[in-house]
Amino acid sequence: TEHGQVKESHYGLNHMSADDPAWIDTVREFRASVEAHARMEEDQVFPRLRGEIDEELDARITKEVKKAEFMMS
């Protein structure tokens, strides 16, 4: 899956020296992959979900996302 590829790329970058000649190309590929995935979600997934969820579910999802963001900071 795309998320799995992002995790693998992230892992690889974390274990690659910034002095490695392939590092900058790997960063560029990682960034392009993440940006493409985010655009796809914003253009396709999120609009469909907005039409399918009610306000109560939206509030629960928002709460969980904010909690996750706090845990990551």
Side-chain angles (χ1 to χ4, degrees), residues 19-49:
D19 295 336
D20 188 315
W23 188 83
I24 193 69
D25 288 334
T26 304
V27 169
R28 287 183 180 127
E29 290 173 15
F30 177 71
R31 181 177 178 172
S33 177
V34 170
E35 288 175 347
H37 181 79
R39 273 193 306 280
M40 181 278 298
E41 286 184 339
E42 290 170 358
D43 294 344
Q44 298 172 21
V45 177
F46 295 156
R48 188 181 75 238
L49 289 175

Side-chain angles (χ1 to χ4, degrees), residues 1-11 30 33 37:
T1 67
E2 290 178 355
H3 287 159
Q5 290 171 337
V6 167
K7 287 181 181 180
E8 286 179 22
S9 294
H10 187 256
Y11 177 86
F30 177 71
S33 177
H37 181 79

